[in-house]
Amino acid sequence: MNGTLSLGVRRGLIEQGTLLRDRKEAIGQLVGGVGVFLLLALWMGGNPAGGGVSMATFMAVGFTAFIVFSTGVNSLPLLIAADREEGALLRLRALPRGIPVYVTGRAVSVLCQILLQVAVMLLAGVLVAGVRPPASPQAWLTFGWALVLGALSVVPIGAALGAMMSNPKSAALVLGLPSMVLMLISGVMIPVRMLPEVVGRIAQVFPLYWEGHALRAAFLPQSAAAAELGGTWQLGTAATVMGVWTIAGMVLAPWLLRKVTREESGTRQAERRI
Amino acid sequence: MDAVVNVRGLRMSYGPHEVLRGIDLEVRRGETVALLGPNGAGKTTTLEVLEGFRLPSAGEVEVLGVDPARGDDAWRARIGVVLQNWRDHPRWQVEKLLGHVAAHYPNPWRTGELLDALGLSGKATAKVGQLSGGQRRRLDVALGVVGRPELLFLDEPTTGFDPEARREFHDLVRGLDTTILLTTHDLAEAERLADRITVLVEGHVAVSGTPAELAAAVRAPSRVRWRGGCELTDDPSRLAWELHQRYGGPVPDLEIRRPTLEESYLSLIDRSAA
C-alpha cells in the first residue's frame, strides 16, 4: 500500500504524461501562449514601461500571472468536468482513498503545467526578447513563493468550479468571460492606474491582482513600486489575500467534489448518454 | 453461512417517484446472486445504495457488516465495483491504469498476472480508449477484482456483447473466487451464473430463489389445445384427464404446451407490473 500523497503525486505525473503525449491542445496551448508572448515582446518589448523597466519585462510578469490564473481557473475546471463526464471521478470514488488521491493528482498535474509553461516562456523571453530576470536572491525567492502561492490560491477554486460544471463545453463558456474580465481589470495586462479607482478596488478582492503585484515586486526594480496603487510593494497583503483564497478553496473543493460524485452515479451517466 | 449483504425493507424515492418499494435481499459468503429484472426495475439503484453511492430513503442495509453510507476506506478496500458503461481514463495505458488502481489496495493482484488471466496481456501498453467493447469490459472486471475484494458488484456486465463475447465473459465470471452480486435483464445469463436469483419488478422483489425454485414458482399457465377448443391452465394434466373422460377415449389433436422458463419470466413481469 502506498501513501495517499505519493499515490496522488504519481497519479498527477501520469496524467501530465498522457496530457503531453496525447493532447494536441496542451502542446498547442504551450506553443501558442509562448509564441504570442514572444511576438508581442519582440514587437513592442523594447519600449520603456516606466520606472526604468522594458515593456518586455512588464509583459513577462503579466503573462506569468495569466498562465497561473488561467490554468487554475480555466484549464483545470475543464479537465475536472471531463473526468466527471467520462466517469473517472466515480471510479476513484469507488476506490479506497480515491478522492484525496484524485485531488492531489489534479493539483500536481496543474502545477506541472504551470511550471512548464512559465519556464519555457521566461527562458525564451530572457534569451530572445531581453526580459530582465529577478535581480537578487531575495527577488527570486519572492518570485518562487508568488508563483506557488498564486497557483495554490486558484487550484482549489478551479476544482470547485469544475465540480459545479455539468460538462466541459458549458464550463468553457461559463468560465471564459469572467476570467477575461478579471484579466483586464487586475493590472496584469494593463497597468491598473490606467483604470478607474473603483475597478482597482474590485480587482484587489481577487487573487489575480495580488499574484501580479507580487510578481512585479520580484521582477521590477524598487523604483517601479511608485506605479502601484499604494505606491509601495505590499507583499504581506498579497500573501494574506492569496492565502485566504487558498484556504477557502481547500475547504470548499473536496466537499463539492464528494457531493457531485454522489449525484454522479452510474444511472445518471447512462441517462446522459441516451 | 454468514451474510455478506443484508438488506431489509430498502426504499428509495426521487421526489414523488418511488424507485425501490421495500426490497429484502441476502447474499451469503461465496455465492453468486443475480438481480434480474427489466430496465427501470431498480436493479442499478439497489446496487448503488449497496456501493455507498446513494443514500436510501428507508430500510436497513449492511454490506460486510457496515452501513455503506458510513463505509470508510478500509471497507472500500474489501469490495470491488464494476459499473455500467465505464469510459473513463481513455488516454491511460492499460497496465498503468491497472497498476494505479492496484496501488490503492493493501494486497492487490500482480497486474501482469491479472492481465494474463483476463486475456489482456497483449493489450498491456494499449490505450484504454482504443480497446474493443469486450476488452474494455474485461479491463473493468480486472479493475474491479485487482484489490482481491471479498465482494464484487457487477452491473449489467454483458450489455451490448455478441454471443461469443458473452460466453467468454461468463466463463471469466465463473472462474472468479469471490462473492458476487450482479444485475442483468437476461434470464439465461442469470441462470448460467447465479446460485440464486432475485427478480425485481417495478421496485419490489417479485420472487427469489435458486433457478430451479424460480422455475417452479413463476411457471406460467400451460396451453392445452384440441380439435374442440383451447384452454390455459395451471394443471394441464388434470385438464387432459378430464378431456379423455369427456371424449370417452383419445382426444383428437390433443396438444399440451408447457411454457419455457423465459416465457414464464416474461409473463411474471407482465403480471407483477399490472
Side-chain angles (χ1 to χ4, degrees):
Chain A
M1 184 143 47
N2 295 261
T4 304
L5 191 66
S6 75
L7 197 52
V9 170
R10 224 166 56 211
R11 178 177 174 83
L13 294 179
I14 296 175
E15 281 283 6
Q16 182 62 16
T18 62
L19 214 64
L20 286 183
R21 225 174 315 119
D22 297 345
R23 285 225 168 152
K24 289 190 189 89
E25 66 258 45
I27 293 161
Q29 197 185 356
L30 183 65
V31 174
V34 173
V36 168
F37 165 73
L38 277 182
L39 276 179
L40 284 173
L42 287 171
W43 176 36
M44 51 189 201
N47 302 339
V53 183
S54 75
M55 201 61 194
T57 304
F58 183 80
M59 283 194 309
V61 173
F63 267 80
T64 303
F66 170 74
I67 287 169
V68 172
F69 185 74
S70 75
T71 308
V73 178
N74 291 92
S75 309
L76 177 62
L78 254 60
L79 289 170
I80 290 177
D83 285 338
R84 186 180 166 191
E85 198 189 42
E86 289 169 356
L89 259 181
L90 192 58
R91 161 137 10 238
L92 269 291
R93 196 168 148 64
L95 300 179
R97 298 173 296 150
I99 293 292
V101 166
Y102 174 81
V103 173
T104 313
R106 268 286 164 242
V108 167
S109 74
V110 165
L111 286 177
C112 283
Q113 239 172 307
I114 289 173
L115 289 179
L116 187 69
Q117 288 189 60
V118 169
V120 171
M121 185 197 67
L122 285 182
L123 201 64
V126 170
L127 292 178
V128 180
V131 170
R132 175 179 166 275
S136 64
Q138 202 188 347
W140 273 105
L141 198 68
T142 306
F143 172 51
W145 73 249
L147 198 64
V148 172
L149 192 57
L152 287 179
S153 70
V154 288
V155 163
I157 292 299
L161 288 170
M164 288 187 286
M165 299 297 151
S166 56
N167 70 61
K169 277 174 209 130
S170 69
L173 285 172
V174 173
L175 297 173
L177 190 63
S179 60
M180 194 53 83
V181 170
L182 215 51
M183 291 304 304
L184 287 175
I185 67 167
S186 291
V188 293
M189 294 293 159
I190 310 163
V192 80
R193 282 252 162 136
M194 290 168 67
L195 301 168
E197 197 193 326
V198 60
V199 175
R201 293 256 167 262
I202 294 169
Q204 282 181 320
V205 175
F206 296 98
L208 178 57
Y209 171 86
W210 295 105
E211 166 84 17
H213 180 82
L215 286 173
R216 284 194 295 279
F219 278 82
L220 310 188
Q222 188 59 40
S223 55
E228 295 297 318
L229 279 183
T232 56
W233 300 123
Q234 298 168 278
L235 293 181
T237 314
T240 307
V241 174
M242 287 194 272
V244 167
W245 277 89
T246 305
I247 291 164
M250 280 179 170
V251 172
L252 201 63
W255 176 76
L256 269 172
L257 280 172
R258 227 173 268 277
K259 188 168 138 60
V260 299
T261 46
R262 195 181 282 287
E263 289 159 9
E264 192 65 16
S265 54
T267 35
R268 200 72 57 93
Q269 294 232 324
E271 275 162 22
R272 193 160 43 211
R273 233 160 288 145
I274 291 166
Chain B
M1 269 196 287
D2 56 338
V4 175
V5 173
N6 208 336
V7 176
R8 289 282 166 269
L10 171 61
R11 288 178 177 276
M12 177 94 198
S13 311
Y14 302 132
H17 184 51
E18 222 182 5
V19 187
L20 302 179
R21 312 166 185 218
I23 303 233
D24 295 342
L25 179 70
E26 194 185 73
V27 181
R28 295 184 284 258
R29 191 169 294 277
E31 69 177 351
T32 297
V33 172
L35 275 178
L36 174 67
N39 291 334
K43 307 185 297 285
T44 297
T45 304
T46 305
L47 226 53
E48 284 172 355
V49 169
L50 298 182
E51 290 157 350
F53 291 153
R54 279 181 190 280
L55 295 175
S57 314
E60 284 168 44
V61 180
E62 266 196 1
V63 175
L64 295 168
V66 175
D67 175 359
R70 285 175 237 278
D72 58 3
D73 286 337
W75 175 79
R76 283 242 165 261
R78 294 166 67 198
I79 60 175
V81 172
V82 180
L83 296 182
Q84 286 182 39
N85 338 297
W86 248 335
R87 12 159 240 166
D88 59 311
H89 295 90
R91 288 169 296 278
W92 285 49
Q93 281 182 356
V94 167
E95 60 181 1
K96 279 215 171 119
L97 181 58
L98 190 56
H100 174 67
V101 169
H104 282 78
Y105 294 98
N107 180 29
W109 289 101
R110 253 181 270 152
T111 54
E113 251 172 69
L114 197 55
L115 287 177
D116 262 349
L118 296 186
L120 284 171
S121 42
K123 294 284 171 189
T125 57
K127 280 192 210 109
V128 172
Q130 288 166 350
L131 298 180
S132 73
Q135 290 165 345
R136 169 81 223 210
R137 214 70 189 115
R138 272 181 279 155
L139 174 62
D140 283 338
V141 172
L143 293 166
V145 300
V146 69
R148 299 181 198 260
E150 289 170 49
L151 170 65
L152 179 66
F153 294 110
L154 288 173
D155 196 5
E156 302 279 355
T158 61
T159 304
F161 275 26
D162 63 42
E164 198 191 328
R166 182 172 302 219
R167 199 174 49 241
E168 282 175 12
F169 193 86
H170 289 165
D171 291 340
L172 165 67
V173 170
R174 273 195 300 238
L176 294 174
D177 180 27
T178 182
T179 309
I180 299 174
L181 178 61
L182 66 96
T183 71
T184 179
H185 54 244
D186 180 5
L187 173 74
E189 180 163 284
E191 251 190 305
R192 205 165 309 155
L193 294 179
D195 302 308
R196 287 190 305 120
I197 301 173
T198 292
V199 178
L200 276 192
V201 183
E202 299 210 329
H204 61 84
V205 175
V207 61
S208 184
T210 65
E213 286 167 359
L214 200 70
V218 305
R219 176 156 293 157
S222 302
R223 198 180 57 196
V224 179
R225 195 202 290 270
W226 67 101
R227 193 178 290 163
C230 177
E231 215 172 290
L232 285 174
T233 173
D234 288 331
D235 194 351
S237 173
R238 166 169 289 277
L239 178 60
W241 185 68
E242 284 168 3
L243 282 171
H244 280 99
Q245 286 187 319
R246 206 185 303 165
Y247 280 87
V251 182
D253 294 340
L254 177 66
E255 185 187 310
I256 298 177
R257 197 168 161 277
R258 288 186 183 272
T260 64
L261 184 54
E262 172 121 31
E263 286 166 329
S264 298
Y265 165 64
L266 291 174
S267 129
L268 169 77
I269 289 172
D270 284 345
R271 270 181 284 146
S272 301

